[in-house]
């Protein structure tokens, strides 16, 4: 592993290297079909309904236009979103790169407005959507109730998986827009949104570059090392309701496995970080994490990044995989790390990017 400091030593960027001998060509194509990917897609699959998009202009400021939009992902689900882009994009007849931002637990699309404006000023079409049971789609109580219901019935996956489906349908919608370059779609997410980012990028090869922030982890490592409580705490009320319905007064790792098996099937085995991150290669991937983040402990993170490193070396593109560990930082993303993320998107999918990413 080669480690170098940037941003005045505040951030450590690790480009993970392995001595594997012969490399594949840098432009080697990624196979769309993969047993792990196919299995995940089967779990999250829903009947496809017409997208029926609706778009409404919502003003402009300093040359950046804002739009409200929505689209259907299931018979009973419409996803609301906001979109920022330069005003001339609607009439210049060109196709432009896109970055989608996914919020964390308890967040909403409007919480990403500052990031979206920044991206729009960097010539990206910038988009955020409300995750399942968030923002216009529900309150925290609704989210936790849906999680408890999923444990009891196993008929939906409100934690992470269903939002991944919504992201994939969002990409279907973006492909219909004349201002979008569908070959340059990036995805960034935070905490819950970070988990959804690496799951979605592993599942959907149309995502050309991904930056999961404070969300990469090995669920299995956390279970084996009693490091699961911090992650479960993000949905504590829903988890507690599931435990009560099972007559469990003091949940342990064994019960957490039962909980995951119902709510997030496969998350600590087939679809865990070490299995899914390698599926993103050879597309550009930046992982951002805090050194002291108890929700994403470094030991579990390293299992994921080591596995991804091997894949990027195998595909001959180690420069497309970057890990940022922020010293003395918990479950947060610093200003410097966000700057690095913007540079990463600009390099790989921005208007000046030249390198093939497929």
């Amino acid at each position: 592993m080669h480690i170098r400091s940037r941003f005045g030593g505040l951030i450590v960027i690790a480009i993970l290297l392995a001595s594997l001998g012969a490399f594949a060509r840098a432009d080697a194509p990624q196979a769309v079909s993969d047993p792990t990917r196919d299995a995940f897609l089967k779990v999250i699959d829903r009947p496809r309904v017409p997208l029926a998009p609706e778009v409404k202009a919502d003003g402009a400021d300093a040359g950046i236009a804002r739009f409200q939009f929505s689209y259907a992902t299931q018979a009973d689900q419409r996803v609301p979103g906001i979109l920022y882009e330069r005003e001339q994009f609607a009439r210049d007849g060109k196709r432009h790169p896109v970055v989608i931002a996914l919020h964390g637990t308890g967040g909403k699309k409007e919480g990403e407005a500052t990031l979206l404006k920044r991206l729009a000023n960097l010539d990206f079409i910038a988009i955020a959507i409300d995750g399942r049971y968030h923002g216009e789609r529900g309150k925290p109580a609704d989210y936790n109730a849906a999680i408890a219901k999923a444990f009891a019935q196993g008929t939906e996956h409100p934690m992470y998986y269903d939002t991944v489906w919504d992201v994939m349908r969002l990409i279907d919608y973006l492909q219909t827009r004349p201002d979008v370059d569908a070959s340059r779609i990036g995805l960034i997410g935070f905490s819950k949104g970070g988990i959804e980012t690496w799951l979605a990028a592993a599942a959907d090869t149309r995502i050309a570059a991904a930056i999961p922030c404070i969300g990469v982890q090995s669920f299995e490592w956390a279970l084996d090392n009693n490091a699961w409580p911090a992650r479960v705490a993000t949905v504590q009320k829903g988890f507690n309701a599931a435990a009560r319905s099972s007559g469990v007064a003091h949940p342990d790792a064994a019960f957490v496995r039962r909980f995951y098996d119902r709510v997030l099937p496969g998350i600590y085995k087939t679809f865990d970080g070490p299995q899914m991150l390698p599926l993103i290669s050879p597309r550009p991937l930046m992982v951002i994490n805090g050194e002291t983040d108890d929700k994403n402990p470094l030991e579990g993170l390293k299992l994921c990044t080591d596995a991804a490193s091997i894949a990027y070396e195998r595909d001959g593109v180690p420069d497309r995989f970057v890990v940022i560990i922020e010293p003395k930082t918990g479950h947060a993303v610093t200003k410097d790390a966000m700057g690095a993320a913007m540079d990463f998107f600009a390099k790989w999918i921005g208007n000046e990017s030249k390198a093939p990413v497929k």
Side-chain angles (χ1 to χ4, degrees):
M1 179 184 295
H2 172 65
I3 299 177
R4 56 191 175 90
S5 296
R6 290 184 62 188
F7 310 116
L10 294 177
I11 295 176
V12 175
I13 294 184
I15 301 178
L16 306 180
L17 303 176
S19 54
L20 298 180
F23 300 151
R25 286 174 36 236
D27 61 346
Q30 177 172 356
V32 173
S33 181
D34 174 274
T36 300
R37 177 181 293 118
D38 293 346
F40 182 73
L41 290 172
K42 184 176 181 179
V43 168
I44 69 170
D45 190 39
R46 301 288 186 275
R48 289 180 180 267
V49 300
L51 289 164
E54 298 176 359
V55 183
K56 180 178 69 174
D58 193 29
D61 181 50
I64 302 298
R66 182 176 186 268
F67 298 86
Q68 301 276 352
F69 73 95
S70 67
Y71 60 100
T73 63
Q74 294 172 221
D76 60 346
Q77 291 287 338
R78 285 195 69 84
V79 180
I82 51 177
L83 181 151
Y84 289 77
E85 66 178 352
R86 291 198 182 276
E87 288 184 278
Q88 67 264 30
F89 286 5
R91 56 181 182 270
D92 65 7
K94 298 179 181 178
R95 294 186 178 271
H96 303 276
V98 176
V99 173
I100 302 163
L102 303 178
H103 62 74
T105 302
K108 57 184 179 180
K109 59 186 181 301
E110 289 83 2
E112 305 306 319
T114 298
L115 172 59
L116 300 186
K117 293 174 187 176
R118 183 175 184 178
L119 286 162
N121 279 299
L122 292 172
D123 295 330
F124 292 98
I125 297 174
I127 293 170
I129 61 172
D130 284 329
R132 293 284 175 118
Y133 300 99
H134 284 73
E136 294 180 51
R137 306 176 75 184
K139 302 181 295 294
D142 300 322
Y143 184 46
N144 282 287
I147 290 168
K149 181 179 177 182
F151 177 79
Q153 300 181 2
T155 54
E156 62 177 320
H157 306 296
M159 283 182 72
Y160 318 142
Y161 288 4
D162 287 347
T163 296
V164 170
W165 174 256
D166 293 341
V167 170
M168 293 176 65
R169 294 296 280 152
L170 172 59
I171 295 173
D172 290 343
Y173 163 61
L174 292 176
Q175 288 181 317
T176 71
R177 289 180 60 104
D179 55 347
V180 166
D181 183 345
S183 69
R184 292 187 292 166
I185 295 176
L187 184 63
I188 185 171
F190 306 91
S191 192
K192 175 183 83 75
I195 295 170
E196 291 158 357
T197 293
W198 57 261
L199 287 170
D204 195 332
T205 59
R206 296 175 298 176
I207 295 170
I211 306 180
C213 302
I214 54 177
V216 173
Q217 62 194 275
S218 168
F219 284 82
E220 183 176 32
W221 183 92
L223 288 166
D224 290 344
N225 291 274
N226 199 38
W228 54 266
R231 174 53 62 192
V232 166
T234 63
V235 292
Q236 195 69 61
K237 291 183 178 179
F239 177 79
N240 289 348
R244 286 194 301 271
S245 71
S246 299
V248 176
H250 302 288
D252 56 10
F255 179 76
V256 179
R257 285 184 170 87
R258 286 176 56 195
F259 175 77
Y260 285 157
D261 286 343
R262 296 289 288 172
V263 179
L264 294 167
I267 196 64
Y268 64 89
K269 286 292 185 183
T270 310
F271 311 136
D272 201 1
Q275 285 68 48
M276 296 293 271
L277 256 67
L279 299 182
I280 302 173
S281 180
R283 292 164 289 147
L285 170 64
M286 172 180 277
V287 172
I288 296 175
N289 206 78
E291 181 183 32
T292 60
D293 186 350
D294 61 347
K295 294 178 179 61
N296 308 287
L298 290 187
E299 294 89 342
L301 172 75
K302 187 175 185 299
L303 294 175
C304 304
T305 55
D306 283 354
S309 175
I310 292 172
Y312 279 84
E313 285 288 349
R314 176 201 66 211
D315 293 338
V317 288
D319 61 315
R320 295 184 184 179
F321 181 44
V322 177
V323 179
I324 297 179
I325 305 298
E326 303 183 82
K328 300 179 181 178
T329 302
H331 195 62
V333 179
T334 68
K335 178 181 178 181
D336 286 334
M338 284 304 299
M342 298 302 99
D343 291 344
F344 192 78
F345 279 137
K347 175 180 180 180
W348 291 109
I349 62 170
N351 285 324
E352 303 304 318
S353 61
K354 303 296 183 183
V357 297
K358 296 296 185 182

